[in-house]
Amino acid sequence: MKKQTALFLCLAASVAVAGCGKKSETQEKETTSMNMPAGELPPGHPPIGNQTQLPPGHPPINGTMGMPPQGMMGMGQMQPGMHPETMTKLTKPVNIPEEVKKTWKFADVVIIDKTTGKVVKEAKVKAGDKIKIGNTEIDILYIVPDLKLMNNEYTSATNEPNNPAVIVRAKENGKVTYEGPIYQKFQIFTINNPKYELGVKAVLKG
């Protein structure tokens, strides 16, 4: 009787261990599938360490990150170091339709202190303007209401503010730290500045 009881307990323990193993294996597969890369960047696009919900038409990126706050909410909590310091020039040409340029001439932008999250400067700018604060200098290159990457170039897909952005060149002590788009609704890119961040509140008609 004791031998039968012992044999039964051993069999029960084996079944339990096997069940746990299957459960762990299932959990591992689920975790692996959640971390699968979303896609590859096009040739010449700078690497991005995190993934967020992207603007329509933007190429997929690898990694994982939650959806950023919309508009100006949480601008002080931008993800630092999204681009390497070598991202110092546009990797794609810019071709904005003339009608769009005539319609959307201005943008409301803010400079945010990264240590406090507070806005330290706000300005209404147009293409060609320059913003200066301390040793930081930001050139406004383009104002775009519906920025998309199409036919291997940056353009405005429509003349409506569906995906507002400004394309800028940022410098620190005269050295270019970033050149590319800063979106209003998506915190994808930073200007690689040690102290400040740039945010877009809105693009405006002329």
Side-chain angles (χ1 to χ4, degrees):
M1 182 68 177
K2 290 182 179 179
K3 290 183 177 180
Q4 291 178 345
T5 303
L7 179 60
F8 175 77
L9 292 175
C10 289
L11 288 172
S14 299
V15 171
V17 170
C20 291
K22 289 182 179 179
K23 184 176 181 181
S24 299
E25 184 179 351
T26 302
Q27 290 177 342
E28 183 177 349
K29 286 182 179 179
E30 289 177 354
T31 302
T32 302
S33 64
M34 289 174 62
N35 292 329
M36 289 290 287
E40 296 183 357
L41 294 170
H45 196 291
I48 303 177
N50 298 303
Q51 179 183 347
T52 183
Q53 182 171 334
L54 297 174
H58 196 286
I61 56 179
N62 292 330
T64 57
M65 186 174 79
M67 180 180 177
Q70 296 294 313
M72 293 304 299
M73 293 181 63
M75 290 297 291
Q77 289 77 43
M78 284 200 172
Q79 300 293 323
M82 295 290 283
H83 277 286
E85 291 184 0
T86 53
M87 176 59 181
T88 56
K89 65 178 181 179
L90 284 167
T91 56
K92 304 292 181 184
V94 181
N95 183 13
I96 309 299
E98 287 301 320
E99 185 63 25
V100 173
K101 291 180 182 179
K102 293 177 181 178
T103 305
W104 302 91
K105 294 185 177 181
F106 301 97
D108 279 338
V109 299
V110 291
I111 303 294
I112 301 160
D113 188 317
K114 290 163 68 172
T115 59
T116 65
K118 294 182 178 180
V119 174
V120 293
K121 189 169 186 175
E122 184 169 351
K124 181 179 179 179
V125 297
K126 63 182 184 298
D129 282 354
K130 192 183 300 289
I131 305 172
K132 291 184 179 181
I133 180 168
N135 295 322
T136 300
E137 185 177 290
I138 301 171
D139 296 321
I140 307 298
L141 304 180
Y142 301 92
I143 295 170
V144 192
D146 194 5
L147 184 61
K148 289 185 180 178
L149 189 61
M150 301 172 62
N151 300 321
N152 209 37
E153 63 183 14
Y154 285 111
T155 188
S156 188
T158 70
N159 204 15
E160 299 297 325
N162 297 322
N163 186 35
V166 295
I167 297 177
V168 303
R169 181 187 300 113
K171 300 176 184 177
E172 178 69 11
N173 291 318
K175 180 182 178 181
V176 176
T177 60
Y178 174 73
E179 184 178 89
I182 300 293
Y183 294 96
Q184 177 183 336
K185 298 179 181 179
F186 301 90
Q187 297 175 10
I188 300 173
F189 304 113
T190 76
I191 60 173
N192 287 327
N193 187 280
K195 185 174 182 180
Y196 300 112
E197 193 49 80
L198 176 69
V200 180
K201 291 182 67 176
V203 297
L204 307 169
K205 292 183 177 181

